Amino acid sequence: MKLSSLILLTCAATVSGFAPVLPEQSSSALMAKGRRGGLSSGGNSKLNKPKSIGGSETDAESKPKSNWVQTSIPSIKSLPSEKNVVKLVDTQVPSLINKQTNPTGAVSVVNYEDKTYCFSSSCASCQIPLTKGNVLAPTDETNNEARLQCDFCGATYNLRTGAPVEKEGGKLFGFLFSKTESKELPVYGLGEQGGRVFIN
């Protein structure tokens, strides 16, 4: 009897160790849903709009933005400058941090035609990091703006707006994520003020 109780307790402890952990509803979860709210640092809300850089001005003319948050990025010059290569950059912005999937609040940054674009660190469709994402040439569908394709599922986005666009060829696991391909890729503006880098 004691042996069967011990086995049962061991199995129960093992099973509970593999139970899924449900993330708290936080502002980073809201960002994953494509909402712009939630980027606040609790600091000075009277901050002037930092000077935007390159292609990071996402719909600056159509959407007023006032939620600029200071990052841990040392300077704009420290951003990756290698052309057409997606790199991750840690921001330490609390609303972008997810302890399970993004503990440093990383964002993806790419330099395309001397413009810097900033967007989510993972694909909106499959949630795989975009470090091997492909920067594709512009099309009429994207109003002659570059595209970004997830290397894993093949989801393709307008690089500036994050809007999903027609796929460029199929990918091995693309069929698994076909229902989520209509999700927009969160995009962010980057700016500099007083030698400090801000994200919007």
Side-chain angles (χ1 to χ4, degrees), residues 102-127:
N102 193 357
T104 60
V107 293
S108 297
V109 174
V110 69
N111 183 344
Y112 179 77
E113 293 187 352
D114 296 324
K115 291 183 180 179
T116 301
Y117 296 89
C118 180
F119 45 91
S120 174
S121 61
S122 60
C123 174
S125 178
C126 67
Q127 302 303 311

PDB file of all heavy atoms in Angstrom, residues 102-127:
ATOM      1  N   ASN A 102       9.834  37.081 -22.993  1.00  0.00           N
ATOM      2  CA  ASN A 102      10.625  38.256 -23.363  1.00  0.00           C
ATOM      3  C   ASN A 102      11.098  38.977 -22.096  1.00  0.00           C
ATOM      4  O   ASN A 102      10.645  40.083 -21.796  1.00  0.00           O
ATOM      5  CB  ASN A 102       9.787  39.182 -24.251  1.00  0.00           C
ATOM      6  CG  ASN A 102      10.615  40.249 -24.931  1.00  0.00           C
ATOM      7  OD1 ASN A 102      11.810  40.362 -24.729  1.00  0.00           O
ATOM      8  ND2 ASN A 102       9.964  41.058 -25.752  1.00  0.00           N
ATOM      9  N   PRO A 103      12.018  38.365 -21.353  1.00  0.00           N
ATOM     10  CA  PRO A 103      12.402  38.918 -20.050  1.00  0.00           C
ATOM     11  C   PRO A 103      13.162  40.235 -20.103  1.00  0.00           C
ATOM     12  O   PRO A 103      13.284  40.911 -19.091  1.00  0.00           O
ATOM     13  CB  PRO A 103      13.278  37.806 -19.441  1.00  0.00           C
ATOM     14  CG  PRO A 103      13.776  37.030 -20.600  1.00  0.00           C
ATOM     15  CD  PRO A 103      12.705  37.114 -21.653  1.00  0.00           C
ATOM     16  N   THR A 104      13.659  40.632 -21.269  1.00  0.00           N
ATOM     17  CA  THR A 104      14.400  41.896 -21.366  1.00  0.00           C
ATOM     18  C   THR A 104      13.646  42.956 -22.160  1.00  0.00           C
ATOM     19  O   THR A 104      14.187  44.015 -22.450  1.00  0.00           O
ATOM     20  CB  THR A 104      15.779  41.670 -22.029  1.00  0.00           C
ATOM     21  OG1 THR A 104      15.569  41.144 -23.341  1.00  0.00           O
ATOM     22  CG2 THR A 104      16.639  40.723 -21.217  1.00  0.00           C
ATOM     23  N   GLY A 105      12.408  42.679 -22.533  1.00  0.00           N
ATOM     24  CA  GLY A 105      11.632  43.638 -23.303  1.00  0.00           C
ATOM     25  C   GLY A 105      12.240  43.900 -24.662  1.00  0.00           C
ATOM     26  O   GLY A 105      12.233  45.027 -25.156  1.00  0.00           O
ATOM     27  N   ALA A 106      12.766  42.866 -25.292  1.00  0.00           N
ATOM     28  CA  ALA A 106      13.452  43.023 -26.576  1.00  0.00           C
ATOM     29  C   ALA A 106      12.478  43.378 -27.694  1.00  0.00           C
ATOM     30  O   ALA A 106      11.308  42.995 -27.665  1.00  0.00           O
ATOM     31  CB  ALA A 106      14.195  41.742 -26.937  1.00  0.00           C
ATOM     32  N   VAL A 107      12.966  44.122 -28.659  1.00  0.00           N
ATOM     33  CA  VAL A 107      12.241  44.434 -29.884  1.00  0.00           C
ATOM     34  C   VAL A 107      13.154  44.084 -31.054  1.00  0.00           C
ATOM     35  O   VAL A 107      14.373  43.983 -30.900  1.00  0.00           O
ATOM     36  CB  VAL A 107      11.815  45.919 -29.967  1.00  0.00           C
ATOM     37  CG1 VAL A 107      10.778  46.262 -28.910  1.00  0.00           C
ATOM     38  CG2 VAL A 107      13.008  46.845 -29.880  1.00  0.00           C
ATOM     39  N   SER A 108      12.565  43.888 -32.218  1.00  0.00           N
ATOM     40  CA  SER A 108      13.349  43.638 -33.424  1.00  0.00           C
ATOM     41  C   SER A 108      13.618  44.960 -34.118  1.00  0.00           C
ATOM     42  O   SER A 108      12.749  45.830 -34.174  1.00  0.00           O
ATOM     43  CB  SER A 108      12.581  42.725 -34.381  1.00  0.00           C
ATOM     44  OG  SER A 108      12.360  41.474 -33.788  1.00  0.00           O
ATOM     45  N   VAL A 109      14.823  45.094 -34.657  1.00  0.00           N
ATOM     46  CA  VAL A 109      15.215  46.297 -35.378  1.00  0.00           C
ATOM     47  C   VAL A 109      15.863  45.866 -36.682  1.00  0.00           C
ATOM     48  O   VAL A 109      16.652  44.917 -36.711  1.00  0.00           O
ATOM     49  CB  VAL A 109      16.203  47.151 -34.541  1.00  0.00           C
ATOM     50  CG1 VAL A 109      16.722  48.329 -35.336  1.00  0.00           C
ATOM     51  CG2 VAL A 109      15.550  47.628 -33.273  1.00  0.00           C
ATOM     52  N   VAL A 110      15.508  46.547 -37.777  1.00  0.00           N
ATOM     53  CA  VAL A 110      16.125  46.270 -39.067  1.00  0.00           C
ATOM     54  C   VAL A 110      16.419  47.596 -39.768  1.00  0.00           C
ATOM     55  O   VAL A 110      15.665  48.559 -39.634  1.00  0.00           O
ATOM     56  CB  VAL A 110      15.247  45.344 -39.945  1.00  0.00           C
ATOM     57  CG1 VAL A 110      13.981  46.042 -40.397  1.00  0.00           C
ATOM     58  CG2 VAL A 110      16.003  44.819 -41.148  1.00  0.00           C
ATOM     59  N   ASN A 111      17.525  47.637 -40.469  1.00  0.00           N
ATOM     60  CA  ASN A 111      17.908  48.807 -41.246  1.00  0.00           C
ATOM     61  C   ASN A 111      17.642  48.472 -42.708  1.00  0.00           C
ATOM     62  O   ASN A 111      18.276  47.589 -43.275  1.00  0.00           O
ATOM     63  CB  ASN A 111      19.391  49.120 -41.016  1.00  0.00           C
ATOM     64  CG  ASN A 111      19.845  50.371 -41.734  1.00  0.00           C
ATOM     65  OD1 ASN A 111      19.175  50.875 -42.638  1.00  0.00           O
ATOM     66  ND2 ASN A 111      20.994  50.874 -41.333  1.00  0.00           N
ATOM     67  N   TYR A 112      16.686  49.188 -43.309  1.00  0.00           N
ATOM     68  CA  TYR A 112      16.354  48.961 -44.714  1.00  0.00           C
ATOM     69  C   TYR A 112      16.438  50.293 -45.443  1.00  0.00           C
ATOM     70  O   TYR A 112      15.743  51.248 -45.074  1.00  0.00           O
ATOM     71  CB  TYR A 112      14.949  48.365 -44.846  1.00  0.00           C
ATOM     72  CG  TYR A 112      14.535  48.137 -46.282  1.00  0.00           C
ATOM     73  CD1 TYR A 112      15.034  47.052 -46.994  1.00  0.00           C
ATOM     74  CD2 TYR A 112      13.673  49.011 -46.923  1.00  0.00           C
ATOM     75  CE1 TYR A 112      14.669  46.850 -48.320  1.00  0.00           C
ATOM     76  CE2 TYR A 112      13.301  48.811 -48.239  1.00  0.00           C
ATOM     77  CZ  TYR A 112      13.808  47.723 -48.938  1.00  0.00           C
ATOM     78  OH  TYR A 112      13.445  47.524 -50.242  1.00  0.00           O
ATOM     79  N   GLU A 113      17.299  50.377 -46.434  1.00  0.00           N
ATOM     80  CA  GLU A 113      17.521  51.596 -47.205  1.00  0.00           C
ATOM     81  C   GLU A 113      17.763  52.801 -46.302  1.00  0.00           C
ATOM     82  O   GLU A 113      17.124  53.847 -46.423  1.00  0.00           O
ATOM     83  CB  GLU A 113      16.367  51.851 -48.176  1.00  0.00           C
ATOM     84  CG  GLU A 113      16.291  50.812 -49.278  1.00  0.00           C
ATOM     85  CD  GLU A 113      15.246  51.143 -50.339  1.00  0.00           C
ATOM     86  OE1 GLU A 113      14.465  52.094 -50.159  1.00  0.00           O
ATOM     87  OE2 GLU A 113      15.227  50.434 -51.351  1.00  0.00           O
ATOM     88  N   ASP A 114      18.648  52.624 -45.348  1.00  0.00           N
ATOM     89  CA  ASP A 114      19.062  53.663 -44.402  1.00  0.00           C
ATOM     90  C   ASP A 114      17.933  54.192 -43.532  1.00  0.00           C
ATOM     91  O   ASP A 114      18.011  55.298 -43.000  1.00  0.00           O
ATOM     92  CB  ASP A 114      19.759  54.817 -45.129  1.00  0.00           C
ATOM     93  CG  ASP A 114      21.055  54.361 -45.792  1.00  0.00           C
ATOM     94  OD1 ASP A 114      21.744  53.500 -45.197  1.00  0.00           O
ATOM     95  OD2 ASP A 114      21.366  54.841 -46.894  1.00  0.00           O
ATOM     96  N   LYS A 115      16.875  53.418 -43.380  1.00  0.00           N
ATOM     97  CA  LYS A 115      15.800  53.743 -42.443  1.00  0.00           C
ATOM     98  C   LYS A 115      15.737  52.624 -41.419  1.00  0.00           C
ATOM     99  O   LYS A 115      15.876  51.447 -41.756  1.00  0.00           O
ATOM    100  CB  LYS A 115      14.454  53.863 -43.160  1.00  0.00           C
ATOM    101  CG  LYS A 115      14.360  55.064 -44.062  1.00  0.00           C
ATOM    102  CD  LYS A 115      12.987  55.152 -44.684  1.00  0.00           C
ATOM    103  CE  LYS A 115      12.876  56.356 -45.599  1.00  0.00           C
ATOM    104  NZ  LYS A 115      11.559  56.426 -46.231  1.00  0.00           N
ATOM    105  N   THR A 116      15.532  52.992 -40.162  1.00  0.00           N
ATOM    106  CA  THR A 116      15.470  52.019 -39.087  1.00  0.00           C
ATOM    107  C   THR A 116      14.013  51.721 -38.769  1.00  0.00           C
ATOM    108  O   THR A 116      13.222  52.640 -38.533  1.00  0.00           O
ATOM    109  CB  THR A 116      16.182  52.551 -37.835  1.00  0.00           C
ATOM    110  OG1 THR A 116      17.542  52.815 -38.191  1.00  0.00           O
ATOM    111  CG2 THR A 116      16.134  51.554 -36.709  1.00  0.00           C
ATOM    112  N   TYR A 117      13.677  50.442 -38.754  1.00  0.00           N
ATOM    113  CA  TYR A 117      12.317  49.991 -38.445  1.00  0.00           C
ATOM    114  C   TYR A 117      12.366  49.175 -37.165  1.00  0.00           C
ATOM    115  O   TYR A 117      13.279  48.360 -36.965  1.00  0.00           O
ATOM    116  CB  TYR A 117      11.751  49.142 -39.582  1.00  0.00           C
ATOM    117  CG  TYR A 117      11.580  49.915 -40.869  1.00  0.00           C
ATOM    118  CD1 TYR A 117      12.612  49.989 -41.797  1.00  0.00           C
ATOM    119  CD2 TYR A 117      10.391  50.578 -41.149  1.00  0.00           C
ATOM    120  CE1 TYR A 117      12.465  50.705 -42.976  1.00  0.00           C
ATOM    121  CE2 TYR A 117      10.233  51.300 -42.322  1.00  0.00           C
ATOM    122  CZ  TYR A 117      11.275  51.357 -43.234  1.00  0.00           C
ATOM    123  OH  TYR A 117      11.121  52.070 -44.395  1.00  0.00           O
ATOM    124  N   CYS A 118      11.383  49.375 -36.311  1.00  0.00           N
ATOM    125  CA  CYS A 118      11.317  48.689 -35.024  1.00  0.00           C
ATOM    126  C   CYS A 118       9.963  48.000 -34.905  1.00  0.00           C
ATOM    127  O   CYS A 118       8.922  48.613 -35.157  1.00  0.00           O
ATOM    128  CB  CYS A 118      11.518  49.707 -33.907  1.00  0.00           C
ATOM    129  SG  CYS A 118      11.468  48.997 -32.262  1.00  0.00           S
ATOM    130  N   PHE A 119       9.971  46.725 -34.504  1.00  0.00           N
ATOM    131  CA  PHE A 119       8.726  45.961 -34.408  1.00  0.00           C
ATOM    132  C   PHE A 119       8.889  44.867 -33.363  1.00  0.00           C
ATOM    133  O   PHE A 119       9.965  44.693 -32.783  1.00  0.00           O
ATOM    134  CB  PHE A 119       8.342  45.384 -35.774  1.00  0.00           C
ATOM    135  CG  PHE A 119       9.481  44.755 -36.523  1.00  0.00           C
ATOM    136  CD1 PHE A 119       9.769  43.414 -36.389  1.00  0.00           C
ATOM    137  CD2 PHE A 119      10.293  45.523 -37.351  1.00  0.00           C
ATOM    138  CE1 PHE A 119      10.828  42.838 -37.065  1.00  0.00           C
ATOM    139  CE2 PHE A 119      11.354  44.964 -38.028  1.00  0.00           C
ATOM    140  CZ  PHE A 119      11.630  43.606 -37.882  1.00  0.00           C
ATOM    141  N   SER A 120       7.819  44.115 -33.145  1.00  0.00           N
ATOM    142  CA  SER A 120       7.794  43.066 -32.141  1.00  0.00           C
ATOM    143  C   SER A 120       8.940  42.079 -32.330  1.00  0.00           C
ATOM    144  O   SER A 120       9.363  41.796 -33.443  1.00  0.00           O
ATOM    145  CB  SER A 120       6.460  42.319 -32.237  1.00  0.00           C
ATOM    146  OG  SER A 120       6.449  41.205 -31.368  1.00  0.00           O
ATOM    147  N   SER A 121       9.409  41.527 -31.225  1.00  0.00           N
ATOM    148  CA  SER A 121      10.512  40.562 -31.307  1.00  0.00           C
ATOM    149  C   SER A 121      10.062  39.218 -31.859  1.00  0.00           C
ATOM    150  O   SER A 121      10.884  38.432 -32.307  1.00  0.00           O
ATOM    151  CB  SER A 121      11.143  40.364 -29.927  1.00  0.00           C
ATOM    152  OG  SER A 121      10.178  39.848 -29.028  1.00  0.00           O
ATOM    153  N   SER A 122       8.752  38.945 -31.850  1.00  0.00           N
ATOM    154  CA  SER A 122       8.267  37.661 -32.354  1.00  0.00           C
ATOM    155  C   SER A 122       7.126  37.869 -33.343  1.00  0.00           C
ATOM    156  O   SER A 122       6.428  38.874 -33.317  1.00  0.00           O
ATOM    157  CB  SER A 122       7.819  36.757 -31.206  1.00  0.00           C
ATOM    158  OG  SER A 122       6.787  37.373 -30.477  1.00  0.00           O
ATOM    159  N   CYS A 123       6.954  36.886 -34.206  1.00  0.00           N
ATOM    160  CA  CYS A 123       5.915  36.920 -35.237  1.00  0.00           C
ATOM    161  C   CYS A 123       4.533  36.953 -34.588  1.00  0.00           C
ATOM    162  O   CYS A 123       4.271  36.222 -33.640  1.00  0.00           O
ATOM    163  CB  CYS A 123       6.065  35.681 -36.126  1.00  0.00           C
ATOM    164  SG  CYS A 123       4.756  35.486 -37.355  1.00  0.00           S
ATOM    165  N   ALA A 124       3.655  37.778 -35.093  1.00  0.00           N
ATOM    166  CA  ALA A 124       2.296  37.873 -34.554  1.00  0.00           C
ATOM    167  C   ALA A 124       1.500  36.605 -34.829  1.00  0.00           C
ATOM    168  O   ALA A 124       0.572  36.287 -34.105  1.00  0.00           O
ATOM    169  CB  ALA A 124       1.585  39.081 -35.159  1.00  0.00           C
ATOM    170  N   SER A 125       1.868  35.865 -35.852  1.00  0.00           N
ATOM    171  CA  SER A 125       1.138  34.667 -36.240  1.00  0.00           C
ATOM    172  C   SER A 125       1.566  33.436 -35.438  1.00  0.00           C
ATOM    173  O   SER A 125       0.734  32.755 -34.855  1.00  0.00           O
ATOM    174  CB  SER A 125       1.337  34.403 -37.734  1.00  0.00           C
ATOM    175  OG  SER A 125       0.674  33.233 -38.135  1.00  0.00           O
ATOM    176  N   CYS A 126       2.865  33.151 -35.388  1.00  0.00           N
ATOM    177  CA  CYS A 126       3.328  31.916 -34.753  1.00  0.00           C
ATOM    178  C   CYS A 126       4.092  32.139 -33.444  1.00  0.00           C
ATOM    179  O   CYS A 126       4.446  31.180 -32.779  1.00  0.00           O
ATOM    180  CB  CYS A 126       4.194  31.121 -35.724  1.00  0.00           C
ATOM    181  SG  CYS A 126       5.774  31.917 -36.130  1.00  0.00           S
ATOM    182  N   GLN A 127       4.369  33.376 -33.075  1.00  0.00           N
ATOM    183  CA  GLN A 127       5.075  33.742 -31.850  1.00  0.00           C
ATOM    184  C   GLN A 127       6.532  33.277 -31.814  1.00  0.00           C
ATOM    185  O   GLN A 127       7.143  33.225 -30.759  1.00  0.00           O
ATOM    186  CB  GLN A 127       4.328  33.223 -30.603  1.00  0.00           C
ATOM    187  CG  GLN A 127       2.909  33.730 -30.472  1.00  0.00           C
ATOM    188  CD  GLN A 127       2.833  35.251 -30.458  1.00  0.00           C
ATOM    189  OE1 GLN A 127       3.553  35.894 -29.721  1.00  0.00           O
ATOM    190  NE2 GLN A 127       1.977  35.817 -31.271  1.00  0.00           N
TER     191      GLN A 127
END
